[in-house]
Amino acid sequence: AMNRVFAQKGYTDASCAGDEGTCAFGLSEFMEAFSAILNEPGYSSRTQMDIKRGGLARLQTLFSQDKRVFDSVNTVPIQELLTGENVLQLNCLSSDAKQVVASLMLLSISAFLRLRGRTVTPGDVKLVILLDEAHALLQNTVDSQGRRRRFVIEYEAMLKTMRSLGVGMVTISQSTRDLSPAVADGCETKLFL
C-alpha cells in the first residue's frame, strides 16, 4: 500500500520530499490504497479478513506509539463537522496528541463561524459540542517547564466566545478536580450526579 501511494504521488526510489512532481500525502491516502488492495479480486474471504485484521493491528500499534501518522494532508471538511451528528474518537492518542487534535478542530470551528459573521440572539444554540472525558484533555494544565498548556488556554477562551457564535460547549468529566478552575467556574450550568 505504501509503495502504491508513493508511486501515485510521483515518488521514485531517488525522490526526496518536496521534489518537483511529488505530492505530500498522509494517513488517509494510505488507508485509501490499503482499502483498494483489500477489494482487489484474487483473495479468499479468509485471507482478506486476515490481511484486514493484520493491517488494522499494525495501524493501531503506530497510533499507540504516538507517531505522527494520524496527521494528514487532508482534513475533515469543516462543514461536515457542523452538520448532523459526529463523533471524534481520540482514545488511541496520547494526552499531548489529543490536545493537538482537539485544539485544531475547535479552533477551525471557531474560525469558520467567525468568518461567516454568524451572530445569534442570546440563548440561541445552533451547535452543541460535547467534550467527554474532559479530564484527559484538561488535567495536564502545565508542561514540564511550568508553562500553561496551549489547549487549556484556548479552551478557556472558547468557553467565553463560543456562546456568542451560537455554540453550546458541554464539558463532561468524572471529577472537577481534574479540570482547571477557569473551566469549572466558567460553565454556566453545572450538573452533579
Side-chain angles (χ1 to χ4, degrees):
M2 190 64 80
N3 287 337
R4 182 176 292 192
V5 179
F6 271 117
Q8 289 170 348
K9 300 299 179 180
Y11 291 90
T12 66
D13 289 341
S15 296
C16 293
D19 282 358
E20 190 175 338
T22 63
C23 295
F25 66 91
L27 183 63
S28 63
E29 294 80 9
F30 172 77
M31 287 304 296
E32 283 177 19
F34 181 74
S35 297
I37 289 170
L38 273 181
N39 293 327
E40 288 175 359
Y43 294 119
S44 70
S45 59
R46 170 75 189 264
T47 302
Q48 191 173 19
M49 188 61 78
D50 287 346
I51 293 171
K52 185 174 183 179
R53 254 193 248 114
L56 292 175
R58 287 184 182 217
L59 285 173
Q60 184 63 46
T61 301
L62 289 175
F63 280 131
S64 300
Q65 291 172 355
D66 198 23
K67 300 263 176 89
R68 296 292 175 185
V69 295
F70 61 84
D71 200 6
S72 177
V73 295
N74 290 333
T75 186
V76 178
I78 201 74
Q79 292 88 340
E80 287 187 24
L81 283 177
L82 300 179
T83 56
E85 296 176 9
N86 296 285
V87 177
L88 303 179
Q89 177 59 269
L90 307 181
N91 194 41
C92 59
L93 304 177
S94 71
S95 184
D96 286 346
K98 286 175 187 172
Q99 289 177 335
V100 169
V101 174
S103 293
L104 292 174
M105 289 290 184
L106 291 172
L107 288 170
S108 296
I109 290 169
S110 178
F112 180 81
L113 293 175
R114 282 193 188 112
L115 284 172
R116 281 196 354 198
R118 179 175 172 179
T119 55
V120 295
T121 56
D124 187 15
V125 178
K126 300 290 187 186
L127 173 70
V128 177
I129 298 174
L130 289 90
L131 184 65
D132 195 12
E133 301 292 339
H135 60 275
L137 287 169
L138 300 170
Q139 66 185 348
N140 297 325
T141 57
V142 180
D143 66 15
S144 57
Q145 280 83 39
R147 294 178 303 227
R148 297 189 71 217
R149 290 191 183 272
R150 189 80 198 154
F151 179 79
V152 178
I153 296 168
E154 295 291 352
Y155 193 73
E156 288 171 6
M158 278 182 215
L159 285 176
K160 297 172 187 169
T161 60
M162 285 291 218
R163 274 186 228 137
S164 66
L165 299 169
V167 178
M169 302 289 288
V170 180
T171 307
I172 306 166
S173 186
Q174 302 207 11
S175 171
T176 56
R177 213 175 34 242
D178 295 324
L179 305 179
S180 73
V183 171
D185 296 343
C187 290
E188 192 171 276
T189 304
K190 298 177 182 69
L191 300 176
F192 298 92
L193 303 179

